[in-house]
Amino acid sequence: MAIPNVRIPSRQLYIDGEWRESVKKNRIPIINPATEEIIGDIPAATEEDVDIAVEAARRALAGDEWGSTTGAQRAKYLRAIAAKILERKSELATLESLDCGKTLFEAAWDMDDIAACFEYYADLAEALDSKKKTPVDLHMDSFKTYVLREPLGVVGLITPWNYPLLMATWKVAPALAAGCAAILKPSELASITCLELGEICREVGLPPGALNILTGLGPEAGAPLVSHPHVDKIAFTGSATTGVKIMTAAAQLVKPVTLELGGKSPIVVFDDIDNLDLAVEWTLFGCFANAGQVCSATSRLIIQESIASEYLERLLLWIKNIKISDPLEEDCKLGPIVSSGQYEKVLKFISKAKDEGATILCGGERPQHMKKGYYVQPTIITDVNTSMEIWKEEVFGPVLCVKTFKTEEEAIELANDTKYGLASAIMSKDLERCERFTKAFQTGIIWFNCSQPTFMQLPWGGRKRSGFGRDLGEWGLEKYLNIKQVTQYTSDEPWAFYKSPSKV
Ligand code: NAD
């Protein structure tokens, strides 16, 4: 893909179908993590802007232009958005890469997935028209009933920086498909492409207020959205720490939340694998794609003792081929960490592991040839025990820790030895064993002989402290629908619970 010479657009908040300066006029600098340079800025919304956006969303919901649309009409908007994303694919991918350090190749992948996700929910929006009103047969003459599926209302969508526009799309597309009016609050660390989504919505004529985009800091722009009495639901993707704050604040209003949080996912490798290289490549991809900044990263390698040393040697050979460079360079396979704060955090995890007695088998530092930018080498840590921080906590960087096992029972125990429950992977040619692991793994996502492939038709989400609720698939749409039952008494006969005065 050719890299276009992109200009960083200077945008305002996207409210009520127009660009609008934030009430306090504050802005947040955008830093390119590959060069550490300031390349632009984004508006910093506050409580006052949240109020304006919520009012706009409520008006959209109550008005005919958005509130009375059929699923088929909404599908047209979603398809138009998908087409615009593809039209601007290389520009958007470049902006994403400049903003969060993602390799251009992965950013272009994201743009394809984003367009496909809007298309997918366009199909589900159309299908919703015939499922909006479902009769329920009670096998009774005196009652007729049906169930309505309606848009849930005004929804707040709060998203992270690791897949900026993709994570936003996983929520925006189904929320609009359902007919909700939405307020998106992307991460302050990577908001450029989410603001461009505002421009795309404006261009395709999405009715004003159906989608509003407020950039800004979590406590200033996210928190007021969560505690706003006229926001009916919060769908959140981000860290467990923020998830706890959001759930606590929402609980005060008994506001429903869904939480897609972090993970410390295992990849269990058995010695019966036929093709070592195939397993090794998935192990690397599972932990180092997107520089390890993936919620479902399989960052704990649990390897059968009999093949451990051969496997690690192979990993080291493959790691040498990972090109670390500016993410816009061709064939770059590992870009920088998103920000200086995250970079410091990752290095601290590595040094703490060393202090606790683990061995840094490879990496562990900034690559010498990268003089600027928040780069961390792909890192493998061995001699790990289960009480170490590196085994327990999500690093969110290119860091793989390793433990060996002898028996299947031991492997299961190690795999589930985490407070998180997002994903797990098993590499084995014994499919019956794989099936046994599907029952044993305490996670919402399970991969056999691979790690990370994600399909929009399948439910995405976790258990334990990885949160609850599901994005994607039909489950991703359901969370933006309100279920209403309607019961009609159809008999001419009195109910006859009380004595009728006429008969007394
Ligand atoms: P984060 O929790 O720091 O921020 C996420 C979002 O929450 C941002 O938009 C932020 O501004 C906002 N926020 C922060 N404080 C807030 C508050 N008090 N009230 C309301 N909003 C607030 O997470 P991050 O660092 O952006 O993202 C990384 C995390 O996201 C990792 O833990 C990762 O595992 C997780 N993640 C999970 C999934 C998943 O599907 N389970 C996907 C991607 C990322």
Side-chain angles (χ1 to χ4, degrees):
M1 193 178 72
I3 305 166
N5 194 7
V6 299
R7 189 181 51 83
I8 309 291
S10 178
R11 299 276 181 212
Q12 305 292 350
L13 302 173
Y14 183 68
I15 301 177
D16 212 9
E18 354 178 287
W19 297 109
R20 191 184 172 118
E21 191 170 30
S22 65
V23 171
K24 293 205 168 146
K25 303 186 179 7
N26 292 338
R27 303 205 45 109
I28 301 168
I30 306 169
I31 296 168
N32 176 352
T35 60
E36 302 177 34
E37 284 164 4
I38 295 180
I39 54 173
D41 54 27
I42 53 165
T46 55
E47 198 175 349
E48 293 79 357
D49 303 299
V50 170
D51 285 342
I52 298 168
V54 173
E55 263 178 49
R58 291 233 81 92
R59 270 198 309 276
L61 209 58
D64 285 345
E65 217 189 334
W66 183 248
S68 306
T69 47
T70 61
Q73 287 165 329
R74 295 193 295 274
K76 286 201 178 124
Y77 292 118
L78 296 177
R79 292 215 170 90
I81 294 172
K84 284 267 175 202
I85 300 266
L86 289 180
E87 213 176 281
R88 293 180 58 185
K89 175 179 161 182
S90 63
E91 179 209 351
L92 289 171
T94 309
L95 289 173
E96 197 80 297
S97 180
L98 290 167
D99 203 8
C100 71
K102 186 184 285 279
T103 68
L104 189 58
F105 180 79
E106 287 177 79
W109 246 1
D110 283 7
M111 296 310 141
D112 286 334
D113 283 352
I114 288 159
C117 190
F118 276 108
E119 288 278 353
Y120 174 76
Y121 280 106
D123 290 348
L124 293 203
E126 277 170 347
L128 198 55
D129 284 337
S130 61
K131 297 184 203 155
K132 230 164 41 181
K133 183 175 173 184
T134 317
V136 178
D137 191 352
L138 301 174
H139 305 291
M140 290 169 92
D141 292 334
S142 46
F143 289 101
K144 214 168 128 184
T145 64
Y146 56 91
V147 170
L148 292 176
R149 294 155 101 220
E150 298 178 336
L152 193 67
V154 171
V155 292
L157 315 174
I158 303 179
T159 54
W161 45 263
N162 59 339
Y163 290 84
L165 189 53
L166 184 62
M167 288 301 102
T169 299
W170 283 14
K171 301 193 189 306
V172 169
L176 295 182
C180 290
I183 297 156
L184 168 67
K185 208 305 273 172
S187 166
E188 59 276 22
L189 293 178
S191 287
I192 301 179
T193 52
C194 286
L195 284 171
E196 289 317 287
L197 177 63
E199 181 59 11
I200 287 172
C201 290
R202 210 181 57 80
E203 283 171 8
V204 305
L206 186 75
L211 175 65
N212 306 275
I213 304 169
L214 300 182
T215 53
L217 301 174
E220 289 178 12
L225 198 53
V226 179
S227 53
H228 200 294
H230 296 140
V231 173
D232 300 301
K233 179 193 173 125
I234 295 291
F236 172 73
T237 299
S239 64
T241 313
T242 309
V244 169
K245 286 186 196 156
I246 285 178
M247 199 169 161
T248 307
Q252 308 316 306
L253 300 166
V254 199
K255 183 179 297 192
V257 291
T258 46
L259 303 176
E260 303 285 343
L261 309 177
K264 188 78 187 178
S265 300
I267 177 164
V268 178
V269 181
F270 278 90
D271 63 5
D272 64 353
I273 43 171
D274 278 332
N275 186 337
L276 207 66
D277 283 320
L278 194 129
V280 162
E281 189 182 2
W282 280 118
T283 305
L284 293 179
F285 184 74
C287 190
F288 300 148
N290 206 31
Q293 303 163 114
V294 183
C295 51
S296 55
T298 37
S299 55
R300 292 183 300 136
L301 168 62
I302 298 168
I303 171 95
Q304 197 148 25
E305 201 175 76
S306 43
I307 57 161
S309 53
E310 192 188 352
Y311 201 81
L312 288 175
E313 271 170 33
R314 248 14 242 163
L315 276 172
L316 292 179
L317 282 179
W318 273 74
I319 278 186
K320 286 197 184 129
N321 283 340
I322 296 180
K323 177 174 167 182
I324 309 171
S325 70
D326 186 293
L328 294 178
E329 258 183 45
E330 205 177 337
D331 279 339
C332 172
K333 288 287 148 62
L334 195 107
I337 301 292
V338 71
S339 66
S340 67
Q342 284 295 123
Y343 168 77
E344 295 299 336
K345 248 195 213 168
V346 173
L347 291 181
K348 216 164 128 199
F349 270 116
I350 297 171
S351 82
K352 176 95 182 278
K354 243 191 284 186
D355 292 347
E356 288 185 328
T359 301
I360 312 301
L361 186 69
C362 71
E365 293 169 355
R366 100 180 263 115
Q368 279 181 358
H369 67 288
M370 301 308 293
K371 303 292 176 224
K372 277 253 168 218
Y374 311 123
Y375 293 89
V376 178
Q377 292 171 324
T379 300
I380 299 184
I381 303 184
T382 54
D383 298 317
V384 170
N385 69 49
T386 56
S387 62
M388 289 180 184
E389 183 190 62
I390 199 69
W391 176 259
K392 294 196 281 195
E393 301 299 333
E394 181 183 46
V395 174
F396 230 56
V399 180
L400 179 70
C401 68
V402 186
K403 266 200 84 55
T404 59
F405 69 91
K406 286 200 183 79
T407 64
E408 195 170 304
E409 293 67 36
E410 205 187 335
I412 291 171
E413 205 180 309
L414 285 171
N416 288 334
D417 179 36
T418 167
K419 61 188 171 195
Y420 292 111
L422 187 54
S424 29
I426 170 169
M427 314 294 285
S428 168
K429 76 169 180 198
D430 178 350
L431 287 183
E432 274 178 27
R433 170 155 47 209
C434 291
E435 292 293 345
R436 284 196 294 282
F437 269 72
T438 58
K439 194 159 175 225
F441 280 141
Q442 297 162 351
T443 57
I445 300 156
I446 292 167
W447 287 295
F448 289 177
N449 293 321
C450 60
S451 174
Q452 308 307 315
T454 300
F455 300 98
M456 72 196 100
Q457 297 85 347
L458 299 174
W460 182 271
R463 294 168 60 177
K464 294 156 83 178
R465 281 193 227 172
S466 293
F468 50 84
R470 294 291 181 267
D471 275 334
L472 298 183
E474 61 199 74
W475 304 267
L477 180 69
E478 290 296 331
K479 72 197 228 187
Y480 300 105
L481 292 171
N482 186 34
I483 307 292
K484 231 179 214 174
Q485 63 133 302
V486 181
T487 299
Q488 181 189 355
Y489 187 54
T490 47
S491 168
D492 290 332
E493 294 298 312
W495 185 231
F497 181 76
Y498 300 106
K499 258 188 201 154
S500 161
S502 57
K503 290 189 184 160
V504 176

